[in-house]
Amino acid sequence: MIRDLDGKCPSGALADRWAKYKAEAKLVGPINRRKYEVIIVGTGLAGSSAASTLAEQGYKVKAFCFHGSARRAHSIAAQGGINAAKNYQNDNASIFRLYYDTIKGGDFRSRESNTYRLAEVSANIIDQAVAQGVPFAREYGGTLANRTFGGVLVSRTFYAAGQTGQQLLLGAYSGLMRQVDCGQVEMHTMRDMLDVIVVDGKARGIVTRNLVTGELETHLADAVLLCTGGYSNVYFLSTNAMKSNVTATWRAARRGAYFSNPCYTQIHPTCIPAHGDHQSKLTLMSESLRNSGRVWVPAAPGDTRAPSQIPESERDYYLERKYPTFGNMVPRDVASRNAKYACDEGKSVVPGQRAVYLDFKDAIARDGRDSVEERYGNLFHMYQKITGQNPYERPMQIYPAPHYTMGGLWVDYNLMSNIPGLFVLGEANFSDHGANRLGASALMQGLADGYFVIPYTLAGYLAGEQFEPVSPSDHAVTGTLEETRERIDGLVTCGGSRSADSFHRDLGLKMLDEVGMSRTKAGLEGTVEHIRNLRAEFKENLNVPGSADGLNPELEKALRVADFLEFAEVMTLDALTREESCGGHFREEYQTDGGEAKRDDENFTHVAAWEYRGESEAPIRHQEQLEFTEVMPSQRSYK
Amino acid sequence: MSQTISLKLRVWRQNGPDDAGRFENFDLADVPTDLSFLEMLDMLNEQILQAGGDPIVFDHDCREGICGSCGFMIDGQAHGPERGTTVCQLHMRHYQNGDTVVLEPWRATAFPIFKDLMVDRSAFDAIQQAGGYISVNCGNAPDANSVPVGKEEASDAFESAVCVGCGACVASCKNASASLFTGAKINHLANLPQGRPEAARRAIRMVETMEDRGFGACSNTLECEAACPKEISIKVIQKMNREYLFAKLTHPTD
Ligand SMILES: Cc1cc2nc3c(=O)[nH]c(=O)nc-3n(C[C@H](O)[C@H](O)[C@H](O)COP(=O)(O)OP(=O)(O)OC[C@H]3O[C@@H](n4cnc5c(N)ncnc54)[C@H](O)[C@@H]3O)c2cc1C
Ligand code: FES
């Protein structure tokens, strides 16, 4: 353990830090900006907002994504809403409260300066989105509507029916398309970034594979921004889009960027339960549903009666019972764990599977079916399509599923990793959410990073450095390209019999069982072994049909699974080393009498940051100490 | 509990835009009816892979009906038989044991084939680049509540903004017109006060880019509306035409 990482946060009163930072920051003048080239990988909310904003300012931007269009990034799928410190409802929402809720929700494992800044810039995001034409829900008077989310007692979440992500992304994407139209952004779709090029210790480019032609390319620039999303698909089944993956950040880690808190993953409480062996993904039912739905199971284990046959007195509304203040709106980690406990006690509402009810009967009786339909119509519709059951008539069956990853590449207050010039934005960094993210805060963070943070911090970096041009024949460039080619050849010529998917499924099941909602020392140790064996088999027995010279989705999957298989080991090690429970990281050995997560502040009030040391050497665990000046760590209570 | 069915699949195979392409037949047994259509194709691909063949390429990602990646013709219908449903949200419970199912890619000059069932829809991005935005630099925005927008205008804008850009409208149109897509984009922004200042220029550029990109003209057969997985109304085309004509009258030089 090396306690050596400095987050480079400004000093002084928490509320003044960002202003102080900006007052002291170096600038790049408008005329000079066009001399700088910036590579942005990813066009989700973080990448699109960063690309359009930096291009508007005059930087030359090259943006990349593996989709056919920038608009298809995983952010598109976000459903419920986006938080902002706006007190439109006059219910005492404020910057401080948003900061406080986020720090507490994250179980005191996030960096307070970042979290405060996030809350501070959040209000501007809504202004920017509305100016772009994002059609948020409105009241009859023409003002914006709000809803509330888990872990909070105010209404400050903005939404566009159940598709807030698509509407925000279309806003950011339209800004990006405008800059393509203006000639300020060069957009490269259908590109997989497979490595980072580091020249003289600085990130200066990337290696990409053109997914249509198979061609390997190098792209050079003065700074590289990774906005490549999270790694929930390490579990194979998750709510993430099928192609979401860890490759960009893991490859950067292999080049020396530290990976922080990989064990902090969020298992979302309300998803459609898993079924069968052929399932490819899990579908989220937005947390916003908990505004109106009530979670319950039969009070007696093994009760198989239809829900309508179970009288009120024989139901257990366990969240309302255990947490009277927050009720159904407890944070995600708490709601998920309690669903697990209910099923562990044999109270699952689907025999042979794991599920609890989310019931809208009372909301429909109180507010009317139309009102419920207006708020959640598309979610109900989706539920019905997938399950064939009508949630207006029968409670939804739900169960927790992997959803979001709080871990990611380590960044300082500038959003820069420990590799100079390599910046990381959005879900890809370890960021502001500590050990558990509150609902509606990921969209906020991605857009805060892209619209309002990176324009200031990137300028500071560029203005403070000298940049020699990098030649395409520089050995760092050709060497990285060659290594990528060898990696691909190794996969295509393996000649085994198992598909990439079958390895991925195998890995995912193990990770879900042992590094999912609850973890133990013995289970984690066994998992490290399991991953190593699987990785060895992958090297021998992978089957990638076809060649690398054209469109080959099996090769794309194999490249991603190879990286998941390496990354999973660090994730497991991180869970093993963090001998406490906090937020979504629940070690069974460390819990309170009531079964809540029990932190060890004395030994673990720090960020873990893993340094990769090669395939045969153990990684090094660095630490950044966390400081709290405004809100002191306490046992979280939602009772 | 889930039942299983057996299917015969007739799938279009084409190795890039220059290949002539052909149908290939497959038998797939023991398909659980609670699978999604794409999960059924995953199963088929695993079977092809085990037999040493080349798996079928199709585009997809979110599998939640929102990213707009998926889409091909199933028995001649864009996204298959269920109204208001992308193919990733279509489930096998709508099929019977022994059914033959025919899969073909979107066919349109403006959407060249990448491979098999996957096409290049970058022409949609080109339309969006031609003014499908509001020119507001980050940092310029007034307080979000400073411009009230009536609930109805906001809902009207939203109903157009739900377009996922899948291309089913183009694929189902005998002229391969992109009018429903372009109309939805224009109508979304034209309905909001923020979108008005550029409305004329936007309508002209987007409509003309659509034509330049090789999409056909709308001849009002309404197939697009029936195929749209987001059930966008044909009214957006009428509104687009109005915006365009008005723009041409008031901005003849644009
Ligand atoms: C179903 C669902 C619902 C959600 N709902 C909400 C919500 O209501 N509110 C909320 O705040 N959050 C929500 N979230 C979380 C939130 O959507 C995400 O955390 C957030 O959108 C991530 O944005 P991002 O920009 O960081 O990355 P992403 O949107 O994941 O974008 C990643 C981008 O990187 C590109 N990329 C990745 N790797 C590579 C590579 N190797 N080469 C090239 N390109 C690459 C991809 O093409 C893509 O463009 C939800 C998440 C899910 C799964
Ligand atoms: S896969 Fe995203 S809409 Fe079907």
Side-chain angles (χ1 to χ4, degrees):
Chain A
M1 272 189 274
I2 314 180
R3 204 162 281 194
D4 58 350
L5 279 173
D6 175 8
K8 303 207 183 72
C9 300
S11 54
L14 188 57
D16 301 332
R17 289 182 193 169
W18 181 226
K20 179 168 178 248
Y21 175 96
K22 288 193 286 187
E24 293 169 0
K26 292 202 183 87
L27 306 177
V28 178
I31 312 276
N32 280 335
R33 289 178 204 153
R34 71 171 75 105
K35 295 185 191 151
Y36 291 103
E37 285 191 289
V38 182
I39 283 175
I40 300 182
V41 189
T43 59
L45 287 176
S48 287
S49 59
S52 61
T53 307
L54 293 173
E56 285 161 12
Q57 296 189 338
Y59 296 102
K60 283 206 317 212
V61 173
K62 290 192 211 169
F64 297 82
C65 69
F66 56 66
H67 296 93
S69 164
R71 81 166 297 286
R72 307 203 196 282
H74 165 60
S75 292
I76 203 94
Q79 299 174 349
I82 175 166
N83 291 325
K86 283 201 183 273
N87 190 26
Y88 285 165
Q89 303 307 323
N90 199 25
D91 63 355
N92 210 355
S94 65
I95 292 173
F96 182 82
R97 192 166 295 279
L98 179 51
Y99 149 77
Y100 171 84
D101 291 339
T102 309
I103 281 275
K104 176 184 170 196
D107 216 354
F108 304 94
R109 289 292 174 262
S110 36
R111 192 192 278 147
E112 66 169 5
S113 301
N114 287 51
T115 305
Y116 197 90
R117 175 177 65 187
L118 174 65
E120 211 176 328
V121 302
S122 64
N124 299 341
I125 297 171
I126 303 304
D127 302 341
Q128 172 64 12
V130 166
Q132 287 168 337
V134 170
F136 284 122
R138 291 191 180 254
E139 308 292 352
Y140 281 103
T143 54
L144 293 163
N146 288 107
R147 54 169 55 140
T148 186
F149 257 63
V152 307
L153 299 171
V154 290
S155 264
R156 55 161 181 237
T157 305
F158 296 80
Y159 63 98
Q163 51 169 273
T164 316
Q166 159 152 271
Q167 296 312 323
L168 285 169
L169 184 57
L170 288 179
Y173 157 82
S174 69
L176 174 61
M177 291 299 104
R178 172 173 164 240
Q179 292 306 314
V180 174
D181 193 25
C182 299
Q184 282 292 117
V185 174
E186 204 180 284
M187 183 70 227
H188 299 265
T189 56
M190 300 293 283
R191 295 298 196 289
D192 239 347
M193 180 209 119
L194 297 178
D195 217 333
V196 182
I197 298 173
V198 180
V199 182
D200 296 334
K202 286 185 197 151
R204 295 299 300 270
I206 56 172
V207 175
T208 57
R209 178 168 179 272
N210 180 323
L211 298 179
V212 182
T213 63
E215 202 177 327
L216 290 181
E217 313 156 328
T218 55
H219 300 272
L220 301 172
D222 299 304
V224 175
L225 274 51
L226 297 184
C227 312
T228 50
Y231 52 85
S232 292
N233 280 346
V234 70
Y235 295 107
F236 186 69
L237 286 182
S238 84
T239 63
N240 283 199
M242 299 291 290
K243 298 180 186 174
S244 297
N245 69 91
V246 78
T247 289
T249 47
W250 180 245
R251 286 287 141 189
R254 288 183 56 118
R255 294 274 163 214
Y258 298 167
F259 212 110
S260 271
N261 302 335
C263 79
Y264 289 171
T265 59
Q266 177 162 81
I267 313 287
H268 193 294
T270 50
C271 303
I272 301 180
H275 63 80
D277 301 331
H278 295 284
Q279 193 162 7
S280 59
K281 76 159 289 181
L282 296 169
T283 303
L284 175 74
M285 287 286 110
S286 167
E287 172 164 315
S288 59
L289 292 170
R290 285 196 274 144
N291 270 296
S292 304
R294 297 179 69 196
V295 175
W296 65 276
V297 290
D303 186 341
T304 54
R305 286 175 292 176
S308 57
Q309 302 301 309
I310 303 179
E312 283 294 321
S313 60
E314 292 170 40
R315 299 176 175 192
D316 182 7
Y317 295 89
Y318 55 86
L319 291 177
E320 297 170 24
R321 172 172 58 80
K322 286 164 103 170
Y323 309 96
T325 306
F326 283 74
N328 292 294
M329 297 308 280
V330 291
R332 292 176 176 173
D333 53 335
V334 178
S336 290
R337 230 161 5 246
N338 279 285
K340 177 178 184 297
Y341 293 153
C343 293
D344 287 348
E345 288 164 14
K347 296 177 180 172
S348 168
V349 300
V350 186
Q353 288 179 22
R354 301 176 73 85
V356 301
Y357 286 131
L358 180 62
D359 196 338
F360 297 90
K361 189 169 70 60
D362 295 345
I364 292 170
R366 185 182 60 234
D367 306 332
R369 187 185 149 126
D370 287 352
S371 154
V372 170
E373 184 166 352
E374 188 189 18
R375 274 177 287 168
Y376 312 116
N378 69 327
L379 297 171
F380 278 45
H381 189 65
M382 180 149 79
Y383 180 86
Q384 186 156 13
K385 270 200 192 316
I386 293 174
T387 61
Q389 290 182 3
N390 181 349
Y392 293 100
E393 284 160 14
R394 198 188 157 94
M396 284 184 178
Q397 296 165 358
I398 53 155
Y399 198 67
H403 176 63
Y404 181 87
T405 52
M406 284 75 69
L409 287 184
W410 184 84
V411 289
D412 62 15
Y413 191 68
N414 301 298
L415 302 183
M416 189 164 86
S417 71
N418 57 305
I419 300 182
L422 183 72
F423 292 78
V424 193
L425 283 67
E427 193 175 340
N429 70 25
F430 87 99
S431 100
D432 313 352
H433 307 294
N436 171 60
R437 176 177 67 80
L438 289 183
S441 285
L443 303 181
M444 169 173 77
Q445 183 225 328
L447 291 175
D449 289 358
Y451 284 137
F452 298 110
V453 179
I454 197 70
Y456 297 86
T457 62
L458 179 68
Y461 170 72
L462 294 173
E465 298 279 332
Q466 294 294 328
F467 293 93
E468 299 300 325
V470 177
S471 154
S473 57
D474 189 297
H475 72 273
V477 181
T478 53
T480 311
L481 183 70
E482 220 25 63
E483 283 172 38
T484 311
R485 200 183 308 282
E486 282 164 20
R487 221 163 94 214
I488 292 175
D489 286 349
L491 297 173
V492 177
T493 57
C494 182
S497 64
R498 274 182 81 178
S499 65
D501 268 350
S502 95
F503 285 101
H504 195 176
R505 211 178 269 277
D506 195 335
L507 173 71
L509 278 178
K510 188 73 183 171
M511 295 302 282
L512 191 59
D513 276 353
E514 304 292 357
V515 201
M517 254 189 291
S518 94
R519 305 155 176 192
T520 63
K521 184 164 192 284
L524 292 166
E525 284 167 349
T527 304
V528 172
E529 270 312 297
H530 185 90
I531 296 169
R532 289 186 181 159
N533 293 338
L534 203 58
R535 206 161 56 219
E537 194 197 335
F538 183 83
K539 287 201 172 119
E540 301 290 313
N541 195 22
L542 172 73
N543 178 358
V544 175
S547 81
D549 299 336
L551 194 55
N552 187 345
E554 288 298 318
L555 172 60
E556 293 164 30
K557 282 193 244 176
L559 281 158
R560 290 171 186 155
V561 175
D563 289 334
F564 275 130
L565 280 167
E566 291 183 5
F567 167 75
E569 185 172 331
V570 180
M571 180 173 158
T572 311
L573 268 183
D574 189 45
L576 194 57
T577 330
R578 188 167 281 280
E579 294 180 323
E580 64 162 353
S581 293
C582 54
H585 168 64
F586 193 75
R587 284 280 302 264
E588 287 178 22
E589 302 93 323
Y590 312 103
Q591 51 180 307
T592 64
D593 294 341
E596 308 290 346
K598 190 168 162 201
R599 292 194 320 265
D600 174 354
D601 286 340
E602 204 178 310
N603 294 304
F604 287 97
T605 309
H606 63 245
V607 177
W610 294 88
E611 179 186 355
Y612 181 80
R613 303 281 297 162
E615 274 167 45
S616 48
E617 239 182 282
I620 297 177
R621 186 177 190 269
H622 298 263
Q623 288 182 26
E624 177 196 336
Q625 196 60 29
L626 291 170
E627 318 258 328
F628 296 93
T629 56
E630 289 278 342
V631 181
M632 293 307 147
S634 58
Q635 170 67 39
R636 279 189 317 173
S637 169
Y638 291 96
K639 296 198 194 281
Chain B
M1 244 7 260
S2 173
Q3 299 171 331
T4 61
I5 54 176
S6 294
L7 297 172
K8 288 190 185 309
L9 291 137
R10 229 172 119 62
V11 184
W12 186 259
R13 306 305 303 265
Q14 183 174 339
N15 215 343
D18 302 327
D19 180 19
R22 74 225 161 267
F23 278 107
E24 192 174 337
N25 296 323
F26 301 93
D27 288 311
L28 186 65
D30 302 325
V31 180
T33 51
D34 59 6
L35 291 198
S36 72
F37 200 92
L38 297 187
E39 286 166 343
M40 181 276 290
L41 281 186
D42 292 341
M43 242 181 112
L44 176 60
N45 273 344
E46 187 72 39
Q47 176 178 309
I48 295 174
L49 192 110
Q50 291 309 332
D54 195 16
I56 299 157
V57 174
F58 58 91
D59 205 354
H60 69 104
D61 197 22
C62 73
R63 299 203 175 187
E64 286 191 6
I66 195 79
C67 74
S69 298
C70 67
F72 41 80
M73 306 300 278
I74 305 177
D75 296 329
Q77 283 178 294
H79 291 297
E82 278 279 284
R83 237 188 135 83
T85 306
T86 53
V87 57
C88 60
Q89 294 285 81
L90 176 65
H91 281 70
M92 296 315 294
R93 65 180 76 91
H94 301 291
Y95 289 87
Q96 307 289 326
N97 193 30
D99 277 356
T100 298
V101 188
V102 183
L103 309 187
E104 288 174 87
W106 292 162
R107 294 193 194 277
T109 323
F111 288 165
I113 291 187
F114 277 142
K115 192 172 176 183
D116 300 340
L117 303 176
M118 183 171 178
V119 301
D120 178 358
R121 286 166 289 189
S122 51
F124 272 5
D125 283 339
I127 295 175
Q128 190 92 31
Q129 283 155 22
Y133 49 74
I134 291 173
S135 299
V136 54
N137 279 4
C138 186
N140 260 331
D143 182 87
N145 263 347
S146 62
V147 182
V149 181
K151 199 176 165 80
E152 304 212 330
E153 287 99 313
S155 316
D156 196 349
F158 178 79
E159 280 165 22
S160 302
V162 297
C163 167
V164 297
C166 64
C169 47
V170 176
S172 60
C173 172
K174 67 178 172 24
N175 306 326
S177 168
S179 291
L180 196 72
F181 170 81
T182 312
K185 298 292 164 193
I186 289 177
N187 197 50
H188 161 202
L189 297 177
N191 258 300
L192 297 169
Q194 308 88 300
R196 286 317 304 173
E198 294 169 288
R201 189 157 182 265
R202 176 184 308 120
I204 293 173
R205 285 189 68 208
M206 289 182 82
V207 168
E208 294 179 355
T209 304
M210 168 175 83
E211 290 163 2
D212 291 346
R213 279 289 176 148
F215 293 102
C218 169
S219 55
N220 278 314
T221 51
L222 307 187
E223 288 296 333
C224 55
E225 186 183 77
C228 175
K230 299 296 143 184
E231 307 190 77
I232 292 174
S233 156
I234 193 100
K235 281 193 208 131
V236 299
I237 302 184
Q238 292 149 11
K239 290 188 185 166
M240 169 178 79
N241 291 338
R242 253 200 330 265
E243 288 280 337
Y244 178 74
L245 284 177
F246 182 72
K248 277 303 220 190
L249 287 173
T250 50
H251 293 67
T253 51
D254 257 306

